Amino acid sequence: MIKVLKSKGWTLAAVLVALVMLISGILVAMRFYVRMNLYETPASLLEGKYSVDGGEWKPLKADQTITDHFHKIEIRGTMSKNVISQIRFEEISITTKDVWFELSTTDGEKLSVYTFEAMKLPYEHLAVGRPYALELQDTPGYRITTILTQYLYTKGITPDTELVLTVEYPYSASRKSFDNCFQVTYNFSSGLYLRFFFEALPVVLLFVLVCFFGLFFFPIAGRILGKMDYRYLAFGAVCFFWGTYMIVQSLSGFLNLWIMDPTLCMMLDHLTEFGFVASILFYFKANMRRDGSRLIANLTGTIYLGVAITLLILQLTGTADLTATSALMNCITAAFILLMIVLLATEVKGSRDTLYFLLSWIPMLLTLGMDFVDRFVSIPGAYFFRYGMAVTMLVQIIALCYDLRQQYLERLRYEKMQKELYEANVAVMVSQIQPHFMYNALTSIAMMCKIDPDKAQEATVTFAKYLRGNMDSLKQKEPVPFETELEHLKKYLYIEQLRFGKKLNVEYDIQVTDFKLPQLSVQPLVENAVKHGVGMKKKGGTVTIATRETDEAYEVVITDDGVGFDVEATREDQGKHKDGRSHVGMENTKRRIMEMCGGEVVIESTIDVGTTARLILPKDHQTPIED
């Protein structure tokens, strides 16, 4: 997998970038083509004058966009001549979000009505509508209302007929920009579907790709690198819910084409927003290292989900709709995100990655604040949050791709270390099976074949098991139980006793065995005791292997009553081998004991008295021995 990632990674990235650019290019081209050839979008249906919340009247042109925030807006004027006199278009589609509206003549004749009272009337009535289960009295939802131009013609509407359009935003807690909730499209019978296909579909496909990233790319990439990083899973969820949220946002003006209930269209928009914010909160948590911060983050995310579920229940029970409670939810969202930032800020010290992570969220937070200000001050072309969010998400994707690359390099370094460890194990094994030892063992067995064939057979089997144990040590990367090491050590000493005979006496004082140590770590100490201790003494001697337990550690003690040596002189002359001892093998053993078990080797010796080697293994580095 690593080789595939290495060879195909940049190619895959280039293909994905090219695909995104292609979709973006198609999007721009289609939007231009549609706006030029398929439909027109007058700002307010009428041209004349308008008044916001009973204020002064302002002039209004057909191509003018109304950006005022309002609760109730009234527009008086006439329709475009292209619609009425020439009947250039077949229908007028009015897309509304969270507003009621009424279109009538100055003498009170209603041409199109979308109000709660009208929705309760029979379908055959003038009001085009019907009641739905999820609709509340103050819940307009997202709706598309169609007016046939032929119908207006039969009603006697001419280019000079003055009409009145009243639009009401029923939520008293806030006001809304007119251009964000009321849109008019002059089109043919398939105009809205053409507009969806050429304008919204490319955006939908683009964010379907984002959802794909979230579901597969980051989780699988983390898995390929050998571990399932919770950050990648959390960011995958962020990508998925961001893509879902943006898909619904792109389709919000068309949802009523397929979902009959306007309230359900509105709910779908809010629910995807809840999912996106919740995923952000848990992604913040995934980047925290302190247990206290992670606990608070978990609690925060759980509370947010609890509030979201509560608001959904209020909607379904007819108590309060999601748009009415959106201001409260926005405040909760801002507070919780700020809390997450504060928690992460406490971890910035000494962590460059955490600092960069916080800085990457600045565009999203700034645009979120601008949209909040837009609730009170009219800012043309609002919804800055979408653009800031896109910048932040792009930065996150780049940062995580860089992190994946770093982990890939770390994986290569790890594999290199494993290779070096394997080579080190080979070196240890070779150091334990030196040629002269094999020659001596085989010579002893050959001589025994004539004297005692049965014992020679036993010695051959023992020697084979000893060699197999050394070979098996190459596969062993973790400490082994002491009993396993002791069994292998006994085979070595059995073979050495064949060579030295009565000159080598071995005694065991095993008081404890329930601990672990690196494989082949005791044998070098025993080998020194045999070859350079009792083996150098004319009458031979005794080698004792003992274990004992203290409050802090386990100890393996190898004692011999051989010739001994000057420890200080040996330290000064290490590398010169004046005493004939294998310092390289001993240093290798010390290093393995330190790295694998946090232990140490202490050697004490007196000339003509003997040597004691203590292998000390701290208990806090021990792992339980499996049965």
Side-chain angles (χ1 to χ4, degrees):
M1 282 294 190
I2 293 295
K3 292 182 179 180
V4 173
L5 186 63
K6 181 178 179 181
S7 61
K8 303 295 183 181
W10 289 110
T11 302
L12 176 62
V15 171
L16 291 175
V17 170
L19 183 59
V20 170
M21 293 179 65
L22 177 62
I23 294 177
S24 300
I26 293 174
L27 168 64
V28 173
M30 286 183 172
R31 287 177 66 92
F32 178 78
Y33 176 76
V34 170
R35 289 188 179 277
M36 293 299 296
N37 297 281
L38 292 180
Y39 73 101
E40 296 179 359
T41 53
S44 58
L45 183 63
L46 305 178
E47 52 183 345
K49 58 183 180 179
Y50 71 98
S51 174
V52 178
D53 296 335
E56 63 177 343
W57 290 92
K58 303 176 184 179
L60 176 64
K61 297 181 180 180
D63 58 350
Q64 180 181 343
T65 300
I66 301 177
T67 59
D68 299 63
H69 286 57
F70 73 102
H71 282 298
K72 187 175 183 179
I73 190 168
E74 183 177 343
I75 303 172
R76 291 178 176 268
T78 59
M79 284 190 173
S80 171
K81 295 180 179 180
N82 290 334
V83 179
I84 302 302
S85 60
Q86 301 178 19
I87 315 184
R88 178 179 172 184
F89 299 100
E90 295 179 358
E91 59 187 32
I92 303 172
S93 297
I94 302 175
T95 303
T96 58
K97 295 182 180 180
D98 298 322
V99 293
W100 304 112
F101 76 90
E102 179 179 303
L103 178 65
S104 62
T105 62
T106 53
D107 58 5
E109 183 178 5
K110 297 179 181 180
L111 302 176
S112 182
V113 181
Y114 178 54
T115 63
F116 182 73
E117 291 75 15
M119 294 292 288
K120 295 188 294 183
L121 298 175
Y123 182 73
E124 295 79 8
H125 194 268
L126 176 64
V128 181
R130 62 177 64 184
Y132 296 101
L134 295 178
E135 288 176 345
L136 303 176
Q137 182 170 354
D138 292 329
T139 306
Y142 297 178
R143 181 178 174 85
I144 297 175
T145 304
T146 300
I147 305 174
L148 297 177
T149 53
Q150 184 64 37
Y151 168 76
L152 296 176
Y153 185 76
T154 58
K155 285 290 185 178
I157 305 301
T158 68
D160 298 323
T161 304
E162 186 175 3
L163 304 176
V164 179
L165 174 64
T166 304
V167 183
E168 182 178 0
Y169 182 65
Y171 303 100
S172 58
S174 62
R175 301 198 307 170
K176 195 165 188 176
S177 176
F178 184 82
D179 62 330
N180 289 330
C181 63
F182 193 92
Q183 185 178 30
V184 181
T185 304
Y186 294 163
N187 58 85
F188 298 98
S189 58
S190 57
L192 280 181
Y193 286 97
L194 287 173
R195 179 183 160 200
F196 159 74
F197 182 78
F198 287 108
E199 183 178 89
L201 185 58
V203 180
V204 171
L205 293 178
L206 180 63
F207 283 100
V208 166
L209 183 62
V210 172
C211 291
F212 174 82
F213 264 79
L215 285 176
F216 299 103
F217 180 77
F218 286 104
I220 292 178
R223 188 61 180 172
I224 288 176
L225 290 175
K227 63 178 181 179
M228 187 60 71
D229 195 321
Y230 181 69
R231 288 184 307 148
Y232 298 141
L233 290 177
F235 187 71
V238 171
C239 283
F240 175 76
F241 283 105
W242 177 46
T244 305
Y245 172 66
M246 292 306 297
I247 288 172
V248 174
Q249 287 286 306
S250 302
L251 294 176
S252 60
F254 304 95
L255 289 175
N256 199 226
L257 289 173
W258 310 291
I259 302 176
M260 297 299 296
D261 191 339
T263 304
L264 191 57
C265 299
M266 176 270 294
M267 290 175 60
L268 187 61
D269 193 353
H270 286 285
L271 289 178
T272 55
E273 181 182 353
F274 292 165
F276 175 54
V277 174
S279 66
I280 289 177
L281 294 178
F282 284 104
Y283 178 51
F284 271 100
K285 178 251 181 180
N287 285 272
M288 296 177 183
R289 296 177 178 85
R290 297 178 182 175
D291 292 338
S293 298
R294 294 170 69 87
L295 178 62
I296 296 174
N298 278 329
L299 183 61
T300 301
T302 303
I303 293 175
Y304 182 86
L305 289 176
V307 173
I309 293 173
T310 301
L311 297 182
L312 177 61
I313 293 174
L314 293 177
Q315 169 75 68
L316 296 176
T317 57
T319 305
D321 66 42
L322 293 176
T323 301
T325 56
S326 63
L328 170 63
M329 200 58 172
N330 289 339
C331 292
I332 293 176
T333 298
F336 283 0
I337 290 180
L338 287 175
L339 174 60
M340 292 293 187
I341 291 175
V342 171
L343 291 175
L344 273 173
T346 61
E347 301 185 4
V348 167
K349 185 177 181 180
S351 176
R352 184 176 61 181
D353 293 340
T354 303
L355 177 61
Y356 288 163
F357 176 80
L358 285 175
L359 293 176
S360 68
W361 290 90
I362 290 178
M364 178 177 171
L365 294 174
L366 287 178
T367 53
L368 182 63
M370 294 175 68
D371 274 352
F372 182 76
V373 172
D374 183 60
R375 288 177 171 268
F376 308 98
V377 180
S378 179
I379 303 178
Y383 290 106
F384 301 104
F385 175 63
R386 297 179 187 177
Y387 304 107
M389 181 171 55
V391 172
T392 292
M393 293 297 292
L394 182 61
V395 172
Q396 293 298 311
I397 290 174
I398 293 174
L400 284 183
C401 285
Y402 175 78
D403 187 61
L404 282 171
R405 178 178 179 274
Q406 292 298 108
Q407 289 207 31
Y408 167 71
L409 296 177
E410 286 291 333
R411 181 63 181 271
L412 291 181
R413 284 194 288 269
Y414 174 77
E415 290 182 349
K416 183 179 179 181
M417 291 177 59
Q418 289 295 101
K419 182 179 179 181
E420 292 176 352
L421 178 61
Y422 176 82
E423 293 173 350
N425 283 340
V426 172
V428 171
M429 185 198 73
V430 172
S431 71
Q432 306 307 324
I433 314 177
Q434 297 180 10
H436 72 271
F437 171 73
M438 297 183 66
Y439 298 153
N440 292 335
L442 292 173
T443 300
S444 300
I445 293 173
M447 294 176 59
M448 198 174 297
C449 287
K450 293 183 177 180
I451 302 173
D452 191 345
D454 292 337
K455 191 171 184 180
Q457 180 183 12
E458 179 183 353
T460 302
V461 172
T462 301
F463 185 55
K465 291 181 178 179
Y466 171 77
L467 293 177
R468 179 184 295 274
N470 279 273
M471 294 298 296
D472 289 342
S473 69
L474 296 176
K475 305 175 183 177
Q476 185 62 43
K477 301 177 182 179
E478 300 293 334
V480 298
F482 173 73
E483 290 182 340
T484 301
E485 180 74 358
L486 181 61
E487 288 299 318
H488 184 73
L489 183 62
K490 288 180 178 179
K491 295 180 179 67
Y492 165 76
L493 289 172
Y494 175 85
I495 296 169
E496 288 288 52
Q497 284 180 311
L498 291 179
R499 173 190 172 192
F500 288 99
K502 294 182 179 180
K503 290 180 62 177
L504 175 59
N505 182 39
V506 180
E507 295 181 357
Y508 296 95
D509 181 17
I510 308 301
Q511 300 179 13
V512 59
T513 60
D514 56 342
F515 62 92
K516 292 183 178 182
L517 73 174
Q519 195 164 16
L520 300 182
S521 58
V522 178
Q523 182 176 326
L525 304 177
V526 176
E527 183 179 347
N528 277 343
V530 172
K531 292 171 59 179
H532 307 295
V534 299
M536 303 292 291
K537 195 173 181 180
K538 287 185 178 181
K539 295 182 180 180
T542 300
V543 175
T544 303
I545 296 97
T547 62
R548 60 193 180 201
E549 180 180 4
T550 65
D551 292 338
E552 293 82 20
Y554 297 101
E555 294 185 3
V556 181
V557 183
I558 296 91
T559 307
D560 69 77
D561 55 3
V563 297
F565 66 96
D566 187 343
V567 177
E568 294 299 326
T570 301
R571 288 174 181 169
E572 295 175 0
D573 296 330
Q574 278 186 359
K576 299 179 181 179
H577 307 290
K578 287 186 176 181
D579 60 347
R581 294 174 182 260
S582 177
H583 296 295
V584 175
M586 182 59 66
E587 290 304 315
N588 195 358
T589 299
K590 290 180 179 180
R591 179 178 61 80
R592 293 170 63 232
I593 291 172
M594 171 59 68
E595 292 179 355
M596 298 178 69
C597 297
E600 62 176 330
V601 177
V602 178
I603 298 178
E604 300 172 351
S605 184
T606 303
I607 296 177
D608 295 331
V609 175
T611 302
T612 298
R614 289 192 303 134
L615 195 162
I616 304 172
L617 304 167
K619 288 184 177 180
D620 55 4
H621 283 74
Q622 290 289 312
T623 57
I625 298 177
E626 298 180 358
D627 296 331

